[in-house]
Amino acid sequence: MPGAVIPDDLCDLIGAARRVVALTGAGISAESGVPTFRDAQTGLWAQYDPAELATPEAFARDPALVWRWYRWRRELIAGVAPNSGHRALARWAARAESLVVVTQNVDGLHHQAGQEQVIELHGNITRTRCVNGHVVEAAEPERERCSRCGARLRPDVVWFGEALPEGALEAAERAVREADLVLSVGTSSLVQPAASLPVWAITAGKPVVEINPVATPISGQVRFSLRGKAGELLPALADCA
Ligand code: BV8
């Protein structure tokens, strides 16, 4: 949909917005070739449920299997680049007083697109840490131990059942509180506590704009629910900024 048509009232709202927050999920990376979390499983991994593998229990039960899954995802992500959606948010940030990206994604593509203010709620798949929290470099994290405390190494992501990184949710809540426009881009709005952020914005009376090819649990509550792809709609929205 080249040159998507943005309604005048939405374009005016964007033009007047000074402090923007973009809440992003796996859908913004889909056009970069990163399968969304729910369809990430192809080939060998089709038999596994990501919500089962992305847990401390799975890692405790079979660390080698979990590492194989993360190595497969790391190799996939190493071969992709930011798309026009990521780039549009980075461009928009240069034109607003502030634009903070609060992402559920662990692929680092917002940083790669030049986005300066990014809150990674669920960590970053390319980083490795030990089970005691020490971030380390490791060529073979499946086999190596922490160079600082000797503990087992794991990907520096937040698994289901684990708390978000210290201060990340608070920083995201503060950004939403200070925003005059909130975007919810490419997320099924199912995973908590990230999914509570757009709901909190709606409750606080902030204008929320959702971008998703399909409806989500918040589609009926937001100011604008745009049915479309992030890579096509975000550039058109950024042109209004
Ligand atoms: C916690 C990192 C507490 C790992 C991930 C309340 C109620 C119910 C359950 C809970 C609750 N509170 C907590 C829970 C449990 C759980 C949870 O939410 N479960 C869900 C399934 C019900 N939450 C947690 O466990 C969280 N921790 O709350 O801890 C605590 C507190 C103190 C002390 C101890 C514990 C931690 C959750 C984080 C899990 N880690 N990722 C890894 O990646 O390996 S989650 C992972 O899945 C992703 O990071 C992402 O967040 C999530 C997938 O969600 P989406 O990003 O939305 O992706 P999805 O595939 O679902 O949707 C893609 C969307 O894009 C779709 O809508 C699609 O239509 C759209 N799309 C497709 N193409 C495009 C597009 N949109 C635009 N353009 C396109 N081209």
Side-chain angles (χ1 to χ4, degrees), residues 213-224:
V214 303
T216 73
I218 64 168
S219 297
Q221 306 160 48
V222 296
R223 184 79 60 86
F224 295 89

Side-chain angles (χ1 to χ4, degrees), residues 4 8 40 53 59 62 70-71 76 91 94 101 109 113 129 139 142 146-147 152 157 167 169 188 194 197 232-233:
D8 288 345
L53 280 180
F59 187 67
D62 191 344
Y70 280 95
R71 186 174 279 285
L76 187 147
R91 177 160 57 88
V101 169
L109 290 178
R129 69 173 172 86
E142 307 92 320
C146 178
S147 48
R152 182 180 285 281
V157 296
L169 188 60
S188 59
L197 289 167
E232 293 167 3
L233 288 172

Side-chain angles (χ1 to χ4, degrees), residues 39 41 108 141 178 181 187 209:
D39 58 33
Q41 305 307 90
E178 293 168 357
L181 177 66
T187 178
V209 180

Side-chain angles (χ1 to χ4, degrees), residues 21 23-24 102 104 121-122 164 168-170 172-174 176-177 182-184 187-206 208 216-218 221-222:
V21 169
L23 307 168
T24 69
V102 177
Q104 299 173 79
L121 293 179
H122 296 159
L164 270 54
L169 188 60
E170 294 71 19
E173 286 168 342
R174 186 167 51 251
V176 170
R177 192 164 44 246
V182 175
L183 311 177
S184 179
T187 178
S188 59
S189 276
L190 294 172
V191 174
Q192 297 291 355
S196 62
L197 289 167
V199 174
W200 194 89
I202 292 162
T203 311
K206 311 266 179 185
V208 178
T216 73
I218 64 168
Q221 306 160 48
V222 296

Side-chain angles (χ1 to χ4, degrees), residues 69-88:
W69 183 48
Y70 280 95
R71 186 174 279 285
W72 171 71
R73 290 173 65 195
R74 282 180 167 182
E75 283 160 14
L76 187 147
I77 280 165
V80 303
N83 63 58
S84 51
H86 298 102
R87 292 196 300 272

